[in-house]
Amino acid sequence: MGKALNEIALIELSGIFKTYREGEARRTIFDGLDARFEKGEFVCITGRSGSGKSTLLNLISGIDLPDKGEVHVDGDDITRLSDRERTLVRRRRIGFVFQFFNLIPTLNVEENLRLPLELNAKKGSTWDQRVAELLHKVGLSDRASSAPENLSGGEQQRVAIARALVHRPDLLLADEPTGNLDQQTGRVVLELLSSMTRETGATLLMVTHSSEATAHADRVMRIRDGCLEAVPKGA
Amino acid sequence: MSRASARYFSRHPWQFGLTLLGIALGVSVVTAVELASQSARRAFELSSEAVLGRTSHQIVGGTVGIPEQVYVKLRMTLGHLPAAPIIEAPVRSDDTNKVSLSLFGVDPLTEPNFRAYLSTAADAQAQATLLLQPMAAALSKSTAARLRLKPGDALTLMVNGRRVELPLALLLSPASELQRQGLENVVLTDLSTAQEVLGNAGYLTRIDLRVPQGERGLSVLNQLRELIPAGARLIDTASRTRASGQMTRAFELNLLMLGLLALVVGMFLIFNAMSFSVIQRRPLIGRLRVLGATRREVFFLVLGEAAVFGLVGTVAGLLAGALLAQELLVLVTRTINDLYFSLEVSKLSLSPAILIKSLLLGVLGALVAAVLPAIEAAGAPPRLALQRHELERRGRKLLPAVSAAGGVCLVFALIAMALPGGSLSVAFAALFFIMFGFALLAPGVMVLALKLSRPVAAAAGGDLASLALRGVGKHMSRTGVAVAALMVAVATTVGVAVMVDSFRHSVIDWLGLMLRADMYISVPGSGNVRSMAPETIRRVRETQGVAEVSLGRRIFLESELGEVEALAIEMAEKSYAGFRIVSENPERAWAEFEDENAVLMSEPVVWRSGIDAGSTIALLTQEGWVRFKVGGIFRDYSTDRGIVLMSRATFIRYWKDDGITTIGVYASPGIDLSALRQRLDVAASGDQALLINDAASIRELSLKVFDRTFTITNVLRLLSVIIAFVGILSALMAIQLELGREFAVLRALGLTRAQLFGIAEAQTGVLGLVAGFLALPLGVLLALMLVKVINRRSFGWGMSFEVDPALLFNALVLSLSAALLAGLYPAYRIAVTSPAEVLREE
Ligand SMILES: Nc1ncnc2c1ncn2[C@@H]1O[C@H](COP(=O)(O)OP(=O)(O)OP(=O)(O)O)[C@@H](O)[C@H]1O
Ligand SMILES: [Mg+2]
């Protein structure tokens, strides 16, 4: 669809090899994986446990590095960057949502939201408004000064989504965001995640097992035998 | 279950290592201090045993000793009584090492009745050698080896400022360890040789006696009393040995206290480590509980671990302690030599008592430190995972109770100090209560300080800064203990440093006050040294540029308190200002001193005897025992045994001895001092080498000795800081392990390594600052206790109390840098840990 307009994909992986040491032996996770994710897409990634879904997200975010291959973010190969430069790319362009929420326990809800802004030196009343607006959207305006430990799992995940989007990243990576929530709550979180990402025009890569999630997605991909393959919608 | 705990520690080797290190360090410092001081004491006992041999009584006294005729008379009237004439004097070898030696002149015929060492060389030959060969000397084999001498070589000595050469005629091979130690650094000669060396013909230092026990002994003692001339005295040697041993007690006490401080800090460390290991395994313990482990079992599991740690750490500590003791021994012996008497200690005496004590200390210490964590662990609810914040919330609930306990400790300390007639041990108890009180208050104060500084930090450094601050407060159960340990260590250094500094200032003031003259001429050596030739004194007086002189005689006298050092002085006009009278009415004290034979005493004598200004002290004069009025008390730091000051006129009147050992030279106004010094060099030259020193160099030398005395204090201070450093390191490592996940999330959110490193270091910096600021009041309080109470009660010295702001500033820097340094490695680990790995461990 938008392919014609954007020559450069947001994320492009090519020829990715990734192995892990396990004692003496080596375990191959990716064996020449190629992938392309466009701007504004919502892609679900599935696969058996241990197939390398989390590893894929880590490679894209630059938290982990491939043994071989290139990871392009907006045309730049981040595997060639220094750790610091990769971190700066991550800080500016990427938002994270984890299975276990991972809010910073020593910061309250509002401060957790502010953290990415602070890192990107985004200050001023427009950003204050943005924090308030996101809190409102995730329905937690009244919990701004609560400590994360006092929130329920679903509430924590809603804060995490707001935190992931507050600095307007180009890419949102979500690793089983509903994996730790009951179905009802999971549905709410999923709804929020997809609607809010679409609103900001960011790309959303979501690792999930839930068919409900895949129903929302533009595309569904599956990792199998170290490669990424498309799954026909509805399958 | 024990397998689970073994595996835990093998997976966290640094924690295992640091715990052991903590226990080992604590134990080693205490052991080393004990070993070193005990070895010194043992060596002293051995040498006095070897030197006294089977002596029961001695005849001592007189300013130049006992006339030989006394011995002759004794032989005639009490021929059957074993008696040995002895000459003993401290001398120095005249080689580059200037070894302190003890010249021991004996009668080879009577010696075997008392001491067995002569029999170690073939009897007859040894006796013959000493008797027949003029100026012959004997040394033990080991002493000769140390001096690099072999039979036939000349042993060169400095005696009373003169050089003397003695051919080494004989080597003694001691038959036992006791003999070996006793003969260490002893130069054995015949009586007449010793007299010639000392220039003391016709006099003995003492006569050793073996008086039989019981009825017969009493009658012998009565006969003896009639025999001895006025000025000499019959003493019971057992009681005398005890008195010498006591001189070093106060010094040992101070050492022991520093060792105990190290142990307290070490205990913190053990507590730290044990509680970390428990808190970290809360989930594991919860799981064990689910699987059916009882509270009791969990409790004993933790205690069992502590016992193992205690044992292993203590054994390591004992080994390290023995090594450390070797080093400390050098310092201890040097101080004793500087301050008290010449002592040679070549060997550590490893007494089982010390080993057992240290073993108990380490193992029990570990167990005691583990009780609280064990109770905590046993209280863990059987749940699969207990969340960390839940734990910390509990910790915070305990905080008021802990702080209250701290307050109670301080109240106890106040009560202990207010107790009338407080003894030294009560003062120490108070000191420890103060320290514990502060340590218990530390976490509360830290939380408060963090709360107060948060808005400031947020304004200055934004959310990242307040994030760092909150991390510290949030993990109070770890950081609180670390801060307390660091605070105690830093406060100890502050306390001791301020004490030493105050002392040093007092000494400097005193030296400035005392050294009134421009130049001092004195006979080298200590003890009852030979006095100067009258001719010398006259020549000095007449030297051009000498306005006035003061004449002094330092001598040991027998008193009702045992031996005391006395200074008989003929004052120059300006000399009076050199003594600071601390009792009431100084004018009257001086008047009585000059006109009524009154003596003045320095503070330690008053403290030791309870004799105060206005009462009297009995001294053994040439006319027998005489009671002298104590006209006043003056301040003097030259000896902690105290000194009795009298006018030279008084001394001549009662001791019939006009010898002097020091001349204070007051130059005429406008005289060039270096030219004067050259003229004095000429005037004072003769067969006796005299020391000529200007006031400045004496002052310098005195301070050097002073600083040497406190070297050991500095070493111990450093050790306690190292222990605290290890404590912080282990606390931070634990925090780092626990916060790994949080830090990984921050990395994922886009914090760079440098930023994470910064946050981690900021956190430890805050710990260091809080500990440093808390250490200041505690340290000053400790110093105040040391200066006003401990030193007073153990030495009798009064001194002014001064706090140098630079010292306090240094302490802050020390605390901060110790914390930052300790934080480096954990911070580095935080920064380099791959977030992918940590996040994977869900
Ligand atoms: N740091 C590592 N060291 C060794 N092996 C690793 C490491 N990280 C991942 N692996 C292995 O790589 C494989 C893929 O891991 P990954 O976490 O990407 O799987 P996943 O698809 O996310 O699984 P799940 O659905 O269970 O989360 C697994 O077999 C895992 O054991
Ligand atoms: Mg995964």
Side-chain angles (χ1 to χ4, degrees), chain B residues 22-39:
Chain B
I23 300 173
L25 273 175
V27 169
S28 70
V29 171
V30 179
T31 314
V33 168
E34 279 255 316
L35 271 180
S37 51
Q38 180 139 13
S39 298

Side-chain angles (χ1 to χ4, degrees), chain B residues 740-811:
Chain B
R741 182 163 193 84
E742 203 173 312
F743 283 119
V745 171
L746 288 173
R747 281 278 282 151
L749 290 181
L751 259 78
T752 61
R753 287 189 174 158
Q755 278 174 318
L756 272 193
F757 187 85
I759 286 185
E761 274 289 279
Q763 289 181 335
T764 67
V766 168
L767 292 185
L769 273 184
V770 172
F773 274 113
L774 277 176
L776 297 186
L778 176 59
V780 171
L781 212 58
L782 290 182
L784 200 63
M785 289 280 293
L786 285 169
V787 167
K788 294 291 174 202
V789 186
I790 307 274
N791 260 306
R792 250 232 124 81
R793 288 187 192 170
S794 62
F795 295 111
W797 272 326
M799 52 179 99
S800 59
F801 181 68
E802 284 164 52
V803 180
D804 182 354
L807 278 181
L808 300 186
F809 180 73
N810 285 348

Side-chain angles (χ1 to χ4, degrees), chain A residues 53-54 175-176:
Chain A
K53 306 181 293 291
S54 301
D175 196 343
E176 300 189 41

